[in-house]
């Protein structure tokens, strides 16, 4: 299958390539955020809105899930957050007139950037079967369409209900209650494509699928490993935490195929010296690892730790911890001692001396934190890789101790909270029992479809109705052509959204757009202004309250949409739920969350305390491990790394500095030196030369998966870049067309977006 480049990639003709930056943030970031915000909202509205981000009386930043410091600066936002806020608080509007003017056919070739730039959705819209465009529909009629189609299914498992990680705890809780009341566990979410590998590995080994550190732990660490993560772009506020840790003497080691700007040096825009001075050097060592080489690196560390202990018993490992709190050490150790240096060097592509130097830092450190994101989670062997990270920390008792632990850095601002609320296709019995008891119904037990399985089920005609609470499923999912066909086969697709995106354009036979309030907006109900809650990456739950006037009078909150959809669909049947009461007073929802989900005792009162409250985390709080063995599990994992046939490259699909997932803010990637274009392929200069290519040549990227399907992303401009030989990079979602649906991580079923085997072909003229 070949995908044409969209007509509408405005700047690519104007693409400019400069040199990459060594430091992140500082003055350019501040001016860039204000310029972007000013363009979307005007200067006055920008300043008033941005000043409320992450303040006590304000809203939770929709940018990412990084936690707030205890005493936020007056302006606790970063470039990333400022852009996310501006994108939502924009004054541009998509009205019914817009849809009257544009058929779906018209919208199809538009780029994601163009679609997003049209502004906020303002009224419910319906595309009836056979029509070429959306037309306005009343809310009541829209809910009747949903109810009619859901009830017409032969079985509740013929519907799937997606969630993106911005939904509040309250919306997420009611959504899964509605879905289970309807009778299915088909609750795929963005996490399936994101940190699912972390959740899988951590649940098996430490008994809870969440990281084990607080912000304070990071500040107190002796050594922080930042692995497979680009915080300068994706979690800029994390750089402040790294800076604090460094000021207190911590060392930082960055492990990444790319020398990402923020990892090397940081200028803190919230400190005068940061804006003007040379900034703080962040990474003490940079390991430029091959894609997918991280399991080998941690196996090397583990072997070296065991050898150091053999040489001087009692000096390296935390034997008391191992004895008392862990299971499986002997078997693990026997396996780990056999890790072969040949394999380690081949997999990592690193000189042995660099690994040994990093190991010396490990040895010298008492308290170690490992932070990671998509560079670890989106490979075939991601789950064993993260298990080996756990082994590494267990060896020295670095879990459940101040200044040390596991830090999977989450993406969407409430993705962790949504999971806590039960957005999960494989719920456990304890949760379902509590939910069923509280609402007097029998929840379905059969596990449901995750994101990849939902696509397969739609493709095969087994899922006929697709509902999305936020997100942009068609653009975020792998194998774009196949996913598009799958969605088009549905009887009905429903998108609950703030902004126009591709998932509105690639729709089922019938389609609904249900526009909702965003985080920044006041949610005024007859009972007064409503607050919602979210959980950050470190398990802190806190309030979020929007203040802006809604983008349109017709918008409903996510909570209201779910309550009305549930009432229309379920009628008097199913769970006993006071949907109307919930819709008018969110405190009542929180009362029930408290009764169903452990850790939310006295929810309404505690969440109103400054800073909110921390959810319990047994390994962190009391070194208690609720695994099958009742202990933290060491695991023996065979070493894996991607195999690349001769002449082929391994492609990672990543984010530019000017996007939020599928939302494209602009066409620059400042830190990597790219301006005015996104169809670029970063690769090693030798890999260019070997193919007889020069920098700037146009190539098609062709993915090779051995299933006879041609997956081609045409017309990318080559950029010579600092990356290991054989490892290249290009932006998501333009390259999702290359990620095969069946190429997923073992156990977690996460698409392997960071290791796609590709070949390059010269772009033929006229393509
Ligand atoms: N501005 C902005 N902020 C965001 C987002 C956004 O799109 N824009 N998205 C949010 C979301 S949902 C998420 S999940 C996070 C994502 O945050 P990240 O995980 O930082 O995002 P990616 O751009 O996918 O970057 C992956 C990083 O891992 C490196 N990497 C890739 N493969 C490997 C590997 O095999 N080994 C190692 N060691 N490194 C590797 C890449 O070079 C890159 O630096 O950010 C969140 N925050
Ligand atoms: N190739 C490749 N694919 C990837 C990745 C990758 O690294 N490479 N990363 C994966 C990851 S980590 C993730 S998390 C997924 C992201 O997948 P998604 O979460 O599905 O995608 P987003 O682009 O974040 O969704 C943006 C849309 O959400 C809607 N929205 C924004 N705010 C709100 C709100 O408050 N309420 C509602 N109801 N809607 C809102 C807007 O309409 C907007 O267009 O993509 C995955 N896909
Ligand atoms: Mo994510």
């Amino acid at each position: 299958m070949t995908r044409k480049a969209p007509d509408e990639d405005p700047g690519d003709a104007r693409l400019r390539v400069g040199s990459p930056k060594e430091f992140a943030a500082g003055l350019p970031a501040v001016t860039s955020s204000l310029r972007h915000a000013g363009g979307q909202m005007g200067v006055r509205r920008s300043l008033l809105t941005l000043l409320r981000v992450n303040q006590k009386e304000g809203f939770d930043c929709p940018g990412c899930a990084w936690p707030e410091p205890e005493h936020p600066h007056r302006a606790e936002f970063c470039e990333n957050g400022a852009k996310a806020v501006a994108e939502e608080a924009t004054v541009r509007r998509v009205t019914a007139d817009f849809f009257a003017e544009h058929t779906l056919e018209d919208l199809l070739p538009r780029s994601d950037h163009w679609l997003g730039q049209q502004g906020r959705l303002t009224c419910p819209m319906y595309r009836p079967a056979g029509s070429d465009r959306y037309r306005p529909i009343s809310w009541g009629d829209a809910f009747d369409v949903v109810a009619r189609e859901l009830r017409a299914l032969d079985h509740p498992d013929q519907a799937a209900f997606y969630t993106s990680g911005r939904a509040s705890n309250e919306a997420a809780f009611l959504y899964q209650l509605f879905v289970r009341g309807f009778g299915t566990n088909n609750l795929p979410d963005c996490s399936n494509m994101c940190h699912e590998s972390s959740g899988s590995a951590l649940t098996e080994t430490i008994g809870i699928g969440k990281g084990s550190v607080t912000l304070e732990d990071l500040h107190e660490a002796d050594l922080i490993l930042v692995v497979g993560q680009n915080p300068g772009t994706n979690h800029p506020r994390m750089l402040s935490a790294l800076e604090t840790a460094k000021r207190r003497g911590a060392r930082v080691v960055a492990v990444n195929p790319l020398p990402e700007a923020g990892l090397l040096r940081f200028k803190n825009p919230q400190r005068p010296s940061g804006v003007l001075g040379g900034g703080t050097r962040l990474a003490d060592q940079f390991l430029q690892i091959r894609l997918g080489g991280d399991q080998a690196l941690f196996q090397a560390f583990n072997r070296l730790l065991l050898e150091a202990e053999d040489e001087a018993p009692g000096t390296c490992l935390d034997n008391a911890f191992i004895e008392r709190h862990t299971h499986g050490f002997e078997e693990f150790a026997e396996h780990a001692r056999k890790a072969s240096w040949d394999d380690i060097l081949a997999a990592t592509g690193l000189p042995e001396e660099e690994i040994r130097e990093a190991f010396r830092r490990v040895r010298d450190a008492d308290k170690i934190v490992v932070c990671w994101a998509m560079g670890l989670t989106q490979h075939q062997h991601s789950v064993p890789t993260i298990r080996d990270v756990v082994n590494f920390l267990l060896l020295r008792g670095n879990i459940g101790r101040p200044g040390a632990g596991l830090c999977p850095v989450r993406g969407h601002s409430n993705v962790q909270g949504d999971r806590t609320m039960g957005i999960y296709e494989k719920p456990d019995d304890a949760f379902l029992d509590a939910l069923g008891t509280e609402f007097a119904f029998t929840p379905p037990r059969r596990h449901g479809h995750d994101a990849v399985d939902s696509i397969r089920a739609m493709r095969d005609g087994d899922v006929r109705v697709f509902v999305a609470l936020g997100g942009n499923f068609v653009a975020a999912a792998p194998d774009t052509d196949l996913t598009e066909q799958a969605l088009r086969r549905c009887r009905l697709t429903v998108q609950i959204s703030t902004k126009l995106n591709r998932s509105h354009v690639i729709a089922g036979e019938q389609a609904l757009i249900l526009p909702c309030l965003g985080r920044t907006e006041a949610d005024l109900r007859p009972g007064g202004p409503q607050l919602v809650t979210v959980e950050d990456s470190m398990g802190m739950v806190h309030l979020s309250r929007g203040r802006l006037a809604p983008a349109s009078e017709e918008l409903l909150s996510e909570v209201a949409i779910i309550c009305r959809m549930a009432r229309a669909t379920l009628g008097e049947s199913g769970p006993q739920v006071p949907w109307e009461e919930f819709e008018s007073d969110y405190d009542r929802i929180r009362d029930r969350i408290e009764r169903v989900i452990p850790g939310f005792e006295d929810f309404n009162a505690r969440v109103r305390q400054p800073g909110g409250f921390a959810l319990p985390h047994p390994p962190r709080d009391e070194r208690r491990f609720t695994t099958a063995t009742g202990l933290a599990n060491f695991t023996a994992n065979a070493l894996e790394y991607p195999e690349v046939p001769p002449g082929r490259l391994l492609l990672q699909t990543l984010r530019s500095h000017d996007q939020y997932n599928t939302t494209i803010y602009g066409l620059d990637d400042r830190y990597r030196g790219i301006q005015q274009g996104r169809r670029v392929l970063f690769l090693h200069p030798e890999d260019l030369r070997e193919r007889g290519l020069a920098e700037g040549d146009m190539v098609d990227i062709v993915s090779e998966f051995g299933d006879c399907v041609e997956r081609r992303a045409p017309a990318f401009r080559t950029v010579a870049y600092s990356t290991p030989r054989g490892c290249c990079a290009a932006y998501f979602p333009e390259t999702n067309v290359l990620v095969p649906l069946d190429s997923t991580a073992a156990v977690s079923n996460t698409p392997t977006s960071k290791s796609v085997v590709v070949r390059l072909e010269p772009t033929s003229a006229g393509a």
Side-chain angles (χ1 to χ4, degrees):
M1 268 171 263
T2 302
R3 161 158 298 252
K4 263 190 76 201
D7 302 348
E8 195 69 41
D9 255 334
D12 267 357
R14 292 184 285 144
L15 176 86
R16 271 176 294 144
V17 180
S19 42
K21 304 283 174 292
E22 286 219 341
F23 57 84
L27 203 52
V30 176
T31 47
S32 165
S33 12
L34 284 177
R35 194 179 330 115
H36 185 84
Q40 294 284 343
M41 322 192 250
V43 172
R44 199 182 119 78
R45 186 172 159 99
S46 305
L47 283 172
L48 288 176
T49 312
L50 293 177
L51 288 176
R52 293 237 167 77
V53 182
N54 292 343
Q55 299 299 313
K56 217 170 75 209
E57 295 286 297
F59 56 90
D60 179 63
C61 181
C64 72
W66 191 254
E68 273 80 69
E70 217 168 302
H71 304 289
H73 291 267
R74 184 67 190 116
E76 179 57 25
F77 64 90
C78 61
E79 181 181 5
N80 180 14
K83 287 176 177 167
V85 167
E87 201 58 31
E88 182 175 299
T90 177
V91 292
R92 299 177 196 161
R93 297 288 177 267
V94 175
T95 61
D97 288 345
F98 172 90
F99 290 105
E101 282 162 27
H102 296 281
T103 62
L104 288 176
E105 193 75 5
D106 257 0
L107 294 174
L108 204 54
R110 304 291 183 166
S111 70
D112 295 308
H113 181 230
W114 187 91
L115 292 171
Q117 291 302 305
Q118 302 313 300
R120 286 286 299 276
L121 296 159
T122 52
C123 51
M125 301 296 300
Y126 176 50
R127 200 275 290 243
S131 169
D132 66 349
R133 69 192 79 206
Y134 283 96
R135 63 176 194 221
I137 187 173
S138 71
W139 278 108
D141 289 347
F143 295 125
D144 287 343
V145 171
V146 181
R148 183 185 72 214
E149 293 303 326
L150 285 175
R151 287 176 173 188
L153 298 173
D154 299 330
H155 192 279
D157 285 340
Q158 290 180 323
F161 298 83
Y162 177 68
T163 309
S164 165
R166 269 201 202 171
S168 64
N169 288 333
E170 290 72 13
F173 182 76
L174 293 186
Y175 189 61
Q176 62 81 32
L177 175 59
F178 158 55
V179 171
R180 297 195 163 108
F182 175 65
T184 181
N185 283 311
N186 284 345
L187 283 159
D189 67 353
C190 66
S191 202
N192 298 147
M193 303 183 273
C194 180
H195 263 294
E196 198 66 62
S197 305
S198 310
S200 302
L202 296 183
T203 305
E204 292 167 4
T205 53
I206 66 162
I208 176 170
K210 300 180 183 181
S212 74
V213 296
T214 62
L215 203 48
E216 204 38 45
D217 290 324
L218 218 75
H219 293 164
E220 285 178 26
D222 298 326
L223 175 67
I224 302 171
L225 301 176
V226 183
V227 190
Q229 196 201 342
N230 178 18
T233 286
N234 297 315
H235 305 92
R237 286 183 299 126
M238 177 178 165
L239 299 184
S240 310
L242 293 178
E243 191 192 30
T244 303
K246 288 228 63 170
R247 281 170 196 263
R248 296 191 188 171
R251 299 278 181 240
V252 173
V253 173
V255 184
N256 202 305
L258 307 179
E260 304 285 26
L263 290 173
L264 304 184
R265 194 170 272 284
F266 171 49
K267 297 190 183 184
N268 191 338
Q270 305 196 340
R271 246 187 248 280
S273 66
V275 175
L276 301 172
T280 312
R281 190 185 148 89
L282 283 185
D284 297 274
Q285 191 184 350
F286 168 49
L287 294 172
Q288 190 161 27
I289 198 164
R290 287 181 55 81
L291 288 169
D294 306 271
Q295 189 192 8
L297 178 67
F298 281 93
Q299 291 206 349
F301 289 160
N302 291 342
R303 176 178 162 170
L304 290 168
L305 283 170
L306 289 164
E307 287 173 357
E309 177 71 14
D310 291 344
E311 270 166 37
T315 61
C316 184
L317 304 188
D318 186 341
N319 291 309
F321 174 83
I322 294 173
E323 183 83 5
R324 177 132 186 248
H325 294 290
T326 71
H327 171 269
F329 173 74
E330 292 304 332
E331 198 188 329
F332 154 76
E334 194 190 318
H335 175 77
R337 284 199 171 86
K338 289 193 284 219
S340 117
W341 274 101
D342 285 348
D343 287 343
I344 291 165
L345 300 183
T348 59
L350 295 168
E352 184 173 335
E353 186 37 47
E354 284 189 22
I355 298 179
R356 290 191 183 273
E357 183 188 336
F359 177 71
R360 282 192 289 278
R361 298 180 192 281
V362 167
R363 255 229 85 161
D364 289 347
D366 175 40
K367 297 168 287 179
I368 305 179
V369 174
V370 182
C371 302
W372 74 90
M374 296 306 99
L376 280 205
T377 64
Q378 298 176 332
H379 295 282
Q380 211 276 328
H381 61 308
S382 286
V383 174
T385 299
I386 297 164
R387 287 187 197 132
D388 274 320
V389 172
V390 174
N391 289 332
F392 170 72
L393 290 177
L394 289 178
L395 280 174
R396 305 185 74 204
N398 267 313
I399 295 180
R401 174 145 75 83
L406 296 149
C407 184
V409 182
R410 298 275 164 172
H412 267 304
S413 50
N414 197 39
V415 62
Q416 186 159 316
D418 292 345
R419 200 42 84 77
T420 307
M421 291 298 119
I423 302 292
Y424 190 30
E425 74 283 357
K426 300 195 226 23
D428 62 36
D429 285 336
F431 174 80
L432 294 178
D433 291 343
L435 191 71
T437 305
E438 181 62 29
F439 296 101
F441 78 116
T442 310
R445 296 278 156 169
R446 192 151 81 113
H447 285 173
H449 295 311
D450 61 13
V452 163
D453 285 339
S454 296
I455 298 168
R456 293 185 177 130
M458 288 187 273
R459 173 195 64 193
D460 299 341
D462 296 334
V463 159
R464 312 280 292 142
V465 175
F466 180 80
V467 182
L469 178 58
N472 181 5
F473 188 74
V474 77
D479 232 342
T480 314
D481 293 308
L482 193 158
T483 299
E484 289 184 2
Q485 287 166 22
L487 281 160
R488 286 201 160 110
R489 278 202 74 180
C490 288
R491 284 274 304 150
L492 172 69
T493 51
V494 182
Q495 301 288 337
I496 302 167
S497 318
T498 51
K499 304 222 26 191
L500 187 68
N501 65 44
R502 189 151 306 277
S503 297
H504 304 113
V505 180
I506 311 288
E509 262 169 62
Q510 305 166 76
L512 280 166
I513 298 176
L514 306 181
C516 66
L517 294 173
R519 283 253 178 99
T520 51
E521 289 164 323
D523 186 355
L524 297 171
R525 305 295 310 164
Q530 298 300 314
L531 312 165
V532 293
T533 64
V534 292
E535 173 185 342
D536 67 32
S537 205
M538 295 178 178
M540 292 293 301
V541 179
H542 54 86
L543 283 175
S544 174
R545 174 190 211 154
R547 305 256 175 185
L548 292 178
S552 142
E553 282 179 2
E554 285 192 64
L555 301 185
L556 291 179
S557 71
E558 291 177 342
V559 166
I561 291 173
I562 294 160
C563 288
R564 293 182 196 188
M565 196 155 68
R567 274 166 61 205
T569 308
L570 304 178
E572 296 302 308
S573 66
Q576 299 302 300
V577 185
W579 298 109
E580 276 170 290
E581 189 192 357
F582 283 170
E583 186 187 323
S584 56
D585 183 355
Y586 300 177
D587 277 359
R588 301 289 78 78
I589 311 172
R590 287 184 281 270
D591 288 343
R592 300 300 196 93
I593 292 174
E594 169 177 342
R595 291 160 60 105
V596 173
I597 301 173
F600 286 86
E601 294 74 23
D602 213 5
F603 190 3
N604 274 306
R606 282 199 298 154
V607 82
R608 285 179 165 84
Q609 291 162 2
F613 63 94
L615 286 174
H617 189 289
R620 181 191 67 207
D621 304 338
E622 40 182 326
R623 288 193 154 175
R624 193 160 58 79
F625 300 92
T626 52
T627 59
T629 59
L631 295 165
N633 290 319
F634 277 104
T635 51
N637 307 293
L639 175 61
E640 296 172 60
Y641 57 97
E643 265 178 52
V644 189
R648 306 309 190 248
L649 297 166
L650 202 57
L651 170 77
Q652 63 153 323
T653 61
L654 43 43
R655 292 152 173 82
S656 82
H657 192 65
D658 247 359
Q659 74 182 82
Y660 195 92
N661 298 339
T662 70
T663 299
I664 311 302
Y665 298 140
L667 302 174
D668 298 344
D669 190 3
R670 201 175 68 244
Y671 292 162
R672 299 194 186 105
I674 302 298
Q675 282 181 302
Q676 292 300 305
R678 292 181 49 86
R679 297 186 81 84
V680 289
L681 175 69
F682 301 97
L683 74 176
H684 192 282
E686 284 298 320
D687 284 324
L688 265 178
R689 209 178 345 248
E690 192 181 86
R691 286 169 177 71
L693 292 167
E695 187 166 32
D697 282 355
M698 299 292 283
V699 293
D700 289 4
I701 313 174
V702 185
S703 147
E704 294 192 350
F705 185 59
D707 60 356
C708 303
V709 177
E710 183 176 275
R711 297 179 178 84
R712 178 184 295 264
F716 279 70
R717 190 132 1 169
T718 56
V719 175
Y721 204 78
S722 173
T723 173
R725 277 301 298 273
C727 298
C728 60
Y731 302 130
F732 126 75
E734 285 82 350
T735 47
N736 284 41
V737 66
L738 299 171
V739 184
L741 184 69
D742 291 334
S743 176
T744 60
V747 186
S748 65
N749 209 24
T750 296
T752 57
S753 305
K754 298 286 188 276
S755 45
V756 187
V757 175
V758 299
R759 67 170 188 271
L760 307 184
E761 289 181 3
T763 299
S764 55

